[in-house]
């Protein structure tokens, strides 16, 4: 009898016990705050990604410039690198350029000894629009084929 009474009171107490949980309003507030934080980090991530892509392509282009000069010397043949309307060509082949870099018009031809042919077009200007129109300028030197890199 005592056991039956104890079971009945226990079942009755469990029915009326309140279940603790978040309300709908608390859940919505938490969800909206987390979405806001994610959106803020996404924009920052996109900006950083564009900047890194631009800088990486500038470094790749610099390596291609050096490689063209080295190939002109080792193969004893002229090599060219040019850009018109933001399209970069290396020995007549179009190079893919990301939207994070814009090239000025230039035409550089390395002679068989590694020197450049003309000083008129020995200036390359690369604009990085995602970095506040930052410009990287390569001024090639006549005779040695070396260049001076400046940023503005």
């Amino acid at each position: 009898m005592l056991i039956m009474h104890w079971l009945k009171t226990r079942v009755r107490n469990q029915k009326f016990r309140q279940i603790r949980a978040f309300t709908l309003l608390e859940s919505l507030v938490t969800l909206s705050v987390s979405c806001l934080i994610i959106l803020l980090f996404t924009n920052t991530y996109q900006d950083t990604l564009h900047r890194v892509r631009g800088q990486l392509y500038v470094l790749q282009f610099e390596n291609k410039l050096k490689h063209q000069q080295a190939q002109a010397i080792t193969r004893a043949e002229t090599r060219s690198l040019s850009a018109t309307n933001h399209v970069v060509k290396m020995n007549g082949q179009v190079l893919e350029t990301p939207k994070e870099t814009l090239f000025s018009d230039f035409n550089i031809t390395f002679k068989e000894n590694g020197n450049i042919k003309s000083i008129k077009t020995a200036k390359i200007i690369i604009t990085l629009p995602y970095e506040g129109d930052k410009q990287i300028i390569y001024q090639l030197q006549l005779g040695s084929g070396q260049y001076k890199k400046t940023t503005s």
Side-chain angles (χ1 to χ4, degrees):
M1 187 77 161
L2 187 60
I3 295 175
M4 289 295 283
H5 178 65
W6 180 77
L7 284 173
K8 284 181 182 178
T9 56
R10 183 165 171 96
V11 169
R12 194 178 317 138
N13 287 343
Q14 285 182 351
K15 285 182 184 176
F16 297 110
R17 185 184 298 172
Q18 283 187 335
I19 299 173
R20 295 185 184 261
F22 291 111
T23 64
L24 182 62
L25 182 62
E26 290 170 333
S27 298
L28 288 175
V29 168
T30 305
L31 183 65
S32 63
V33 167
S34 61
C35 286
L36 181 67
I37 290 172
I38 289 171
L39 283 175
L40 289 174
F41 284 126
T42 302
N43 287 339
T44 305
Y45 173 74
Q46 288 293 328
D47 290 342
T48 304
L49 186 66
H50 287 302
R51 288 180 181 171
V52 168
R53 277 187 190 156
Q55 289 293 335
L56 280 176
Y57 190 78
V58 167
L59 292 174
Q60 287 176 349
F61 177 77
E62 194 171 322
N63 284 333
K64 288 176 185 174
L65 182 65
K66 291 176 185 177
H67 182 69
Q68 284 297 314
Q69 185 179 17
Q71 288 294 313
I73 294 170
T74 57
R75 294 186 179 187
E77 64 184 19
T78 59
R79 307 289 278 188
S80 66
L81 195 62
S82 63
T84 50
N85 296 327
H86 307 297
V87 177
V88 180
K89 292 183 181 178
M90 184 170 62
N91 297 321
Q93 295 180 341
V94 176
L95 298 176
E96 288 186 34
T97 55
K99 65 181 179 181
E100 289 87 4
T101 57
L102 300 173
F103 284 82
S104 65
D105 293 347
F106 67 88
N107 187 9
I108 296 172
T109 305
F110 290 104
K111 295 190 282 186
E112 293 82 7
N113 60 1
N115 297 340
I116 57 174
K117 277 189 172 181
S118 172
I119 196 160
K120 288 190 286 186
T121 58
K123 188 176 191 179
I124 303 170
I125 301 172
I126 303 173
T127 305
L128 303 172
Y130 287 95
E131 291 190 36
D133 290 333
K134 176 181 172 183
Q135 288 188 335
I136 300 172
I137 302 166
Y138 293 95
Q139 181 66 50
L140 281 83
Q141 299 169 356
L142 187 63
S144 67
Q146 299 297 319
Y147 60 85
K148 179 182 176 188
K149 179 180 175 181
T150 57
T151 58
S152 61

